[in-house]
Amino acid sequence: GENVEQHPSTLSVQEGDSAVIKCTYSDSASNYFPWYKQELGKGPQLIIDIRSNVGEKKDQRIAVTLNKTAKHFSLHITETQPEDSAVYFCAAGGNNRLAFGKGNQVVVIP
Amino acid sequence: EAQVTQNPRYLITVTGKKLTVTCSQNMNHEYMSWYRQDPGLGLRQIYYSMNVEVTDKGDVPEGYKVSRKEKRNFPLILESPSPNQTSLYFCASTVKQGTEAFFGQGTRLTVV
């Protein structure tokens, strides 16, 4: 089955700086790569996703890039704000089951 | 409002006492699943259901049961809970595989 590795496990950034979280996956058949944000006491919420026929996707301060050859994808958050502090999960899958990474704690320091 | 509702939000129980965590979605989604979240282990899938009366094991199904008698409901059953099932549980639903999953608010279960 699919195996997703997520790095780093914890990331601290100064407010206004950029944050990058990287994930690698193992199954070349995976074609759907979502990113979820989990705030304290809440369930994960989708913030952006990308499919295998696209290399990059942006939504305001958030972007995701996908390198299918290397089997890795990354979340980029620019101009970080305190409300970006949360746990971020990447996932990979598609027609098969979705596998999640272990999560990344992002702390934005004011 | 489109949502996935889990109950209860918090539950403390004793070893061996059967319990059920309910999950209901109002989006007419076919696909539903249960995850457990543990520190350092991320989200691990317990069971999933692709449609009514169709369920299958995820990555960590031992000690759990599910049923899908109606499209909107997908309860998680622990027949004989043990302390290693102390965890944060999430139910999720999606239109189909490969699309956005909507998560419930979570159920924090403690088994003593």
Side-chain angles (χ1 to χ4, degrees), chain A residues 34-81:
Chain A
W35 284 90
Y36 287 83
K37 177 183 181 182
Q38 184 181 27
E39 296 175 343
L40 201 59
K42 297 183 179 180
Q45 269 197 307
L46 182 75
I47 54 172
I48 196 166
D49 56 11
I50 193 168
R51 298 193 182 276
S52 58
N53 57 347
V54 176
E56 183 177 2
K57 184 177 179 180
K58 287 183 181 179
D59 183 2
Q60 299 182 340
R61 296 185 297 107
I62 293 172
V64 57
T65 57
L66 171 65
N67 183 327
K68 283 216 72 179
T69 304
K71 292 194 199 140
H72 67 72
F73 55 114
S74 301
L75 177 71
H76 304 254
I77 307 173
T78 58
E79 300 172 18
T80 52
Q81 301 167 5

Side-chain angles (χ1 to χ4, degrees), chain A residues 6-23:
Chain A
Q6 189 169 348
H7 303 280
S9 59
T10 305
L11 178 63
S12 296
V13 294
Q14 288 291 139
E15 183 178 354
D17 287 351
S18 295
V20 180
I21 306 169
K22 298 179 182 178
C23 284

Side-chain angles (χ1 to χ4, degrees), chain B residues 17-35:
Chain B
K17 186 177 181 181
K18 181 179 179 180
L19 66 92
T20 299
V21 183
T22 64
C23 174
S24 180
Q25 51 96 1
N26 63 359
M27 295 168 280
N28 202 36
H29 286 170
E30 290 191 350
Y31 190 93
M32 297 184 74
S33 55
W34 275 102
Y35 295 87

